[in-house]
Amino acid sequence: MAAVLAPALFLAGCAQSVDPIERLGKKAAQGVRPSSPATGEAYRRWGLTAPLAAPPSPPVRLLTAHGADPSRPRVVDHIRTTDKVVFLTYDDGAERDPRFVDMVRELKLPVSLFLTDSVVGPGYGHFARLRAVGADIENHTLHHPALPGLPYAGQRAEICGQQDKLKSRFGVRPRLFRPPYGTFDTTTLRAAADCGVFALVLWRAAMTPDGITYVRGAQHLNPGDIVLVGPDEATGPTLKERTRRLLRRIQARGLTVGRLEAYL
């Protein structure tokens, strides 16, 4: 069995969709609140004390520019950059609050959504709406298994299977993959590469119902941090509220939200 690689130990265009769910999702997104509040008003609507700063112009993709080996996906929990940005990522797809679509659209949040097919179920239309207002869709396996120790065929089926699902839904195969629970082994890297994955995306910070926790390093947000907004807690704050709290912490550190895909 290959050794398990935990997050703290191993760190170093788009085609037109033909899926009717995607087309309906875009139509629905256009039909909900077509007139967004003015930029100066949107932040108040979502409980912020000041507007989000505009991120810098998208750079040349840093890892691509540095000649990453396509046969071995990079593993990242942060981006090496002096840009004052952090990156918001969301897993699974269990929460499908239409108000979160409004939040992403009105605040122009460049969020990344790592979807699991068995969790999303019939809810792909919601994520089509999010994609239509600027969210990026990425891979989080078909069934959310713990991958370390599974044979190559099983890991490849989980990763490539979700690549195929997302391609059929949205017309594009993701470049980024997040392994369930943030754990993987060398077989995962091989399978991900064979499925066309460029990078395994982990996280340095996580927003939970109790606040922000850090996997390693400084106990505060830094430029380039990848942040996981934790999954639904039945008795905890809503997705909108967790995101609002996180945005206020980001602003307090003099940071803003960047698009992860622009840097990878």
Side-chain angles (χ1 to χ4, degrees):
M1 179 186 300
V4 175
L5 304 178
L9 300 179
F10 192 109
L11 296 166
C14 169
Q16 179 67 37
S17 170
V18 297
D19 183 12
I21 293 178
E22 166 72 347
R23 292 198 297 270
L24 287 172
K26 290 185 176 181
K27 184 176 180 180
Q30 294 166 357
V32 177
R33 291 186 175 87
S35 298
S36 297
T39 301
E41 300 173 358
Y43 74 93
R44 294 190 182 96
R45 173 180 172 82
W46 297 107
L48 302 182
T49 58
L52 281 172
S57 299
V60 174
R61 283 175 172 161
L62 297 180
L63 294 187
T64 305
H66 289 118
D69 180 0
S71 67
R72 186 179 181 85
R74 298 291 297 268
V75 181
V76 297
D77 71 349
H78 73 290
I79 302 297
R80 292 184 179 179
T81 180
T82 57
D83 291 348
K84 293 184 176 181
V85 296
V86 296
F87 308 99
L88 302 191
T89 66
Y90 298 75
D91 283 3
D92 304 340
E95 294 176 273
R96 296 190 280 276
D97 183 351
R99 294 278 289 148
F100 185 65
V101 180
D102 295 336
M103 186 181 203
V104 169
R105 175 171 56 82
E106 293 177 12
L107 293 178
K108 298 180 173 60
L109 289 178
V111 298
S112 301
L113 311 173
F114 290 82
L115 300 184
T116 296
D117 183 68
S118 64
V119 176
V120 176
Y124 275 103
H126 172 79
F127 296 98
R129 290 187 286 276
L130 276 165
R131 184 168 180 263
V133 299
D136 288 299
I137 304 296
E138 303 296 352
N139 188 336
H140 197 42
T141 71
L142 283 173
H143 302 103
H144 207 274
L147 294 175
L150 293 181
Y152 169 80
Q155 295 203 39
R156 188 180 190 282
E158 283 290 336
I159 301 169
C160 287
Q162 183 65 342
Q163 292 285 81
D164 294 342
K165 286 273 188 180
L166 295 175
K167 175 65 165 63
S168 70
R169 294 284 181 176
F170 303 111
V172 62
R173 294 177 70 84
R175 298 172 67 255
L176 307 182
F177 168 66
R178 173 167 285 161
Y181 314 106
T183 60
F184 60 96
D185 58 17
T186 54
T187 302
T188 310
L189 296 175
R190 177 184 164 207
D194 290 346
C195 295
V197 168
F198 176 76
L200 269 66
V201 177
L202 307 180
W203 60 92
R204 198 188 77 82
M207 186 67 188
T208 71
D210 299 322
I212 302 180
T213 62
Y214 299 89
V215 174
R216 63 181 184 83
Q219 298 298 292
H220 55 72
L221 293 172
N222 284 323
D225 279 346
I226 297 172
V227 184
L228 167 65
V229 182
D232 177 42
E233 299 286 347
T235 59
T238 65
L239 185 64
K240 300 188 303 296
E241 176 61 16
R242 296 198 304 280
T243 301
R244 184 192 70 80
R245 293 179 186 180
L246 177 57
L247 291 175
R248 294 185 72 168
R249 297 282 288 271
I250 289 168
Q251 289 181 310
R253 290 287 297 165
L255 303 168
T256 192
V257 182
R259 184 174 300 280
L260 178 62
E261 286 74 2
Y263 288 76
L264 290 174

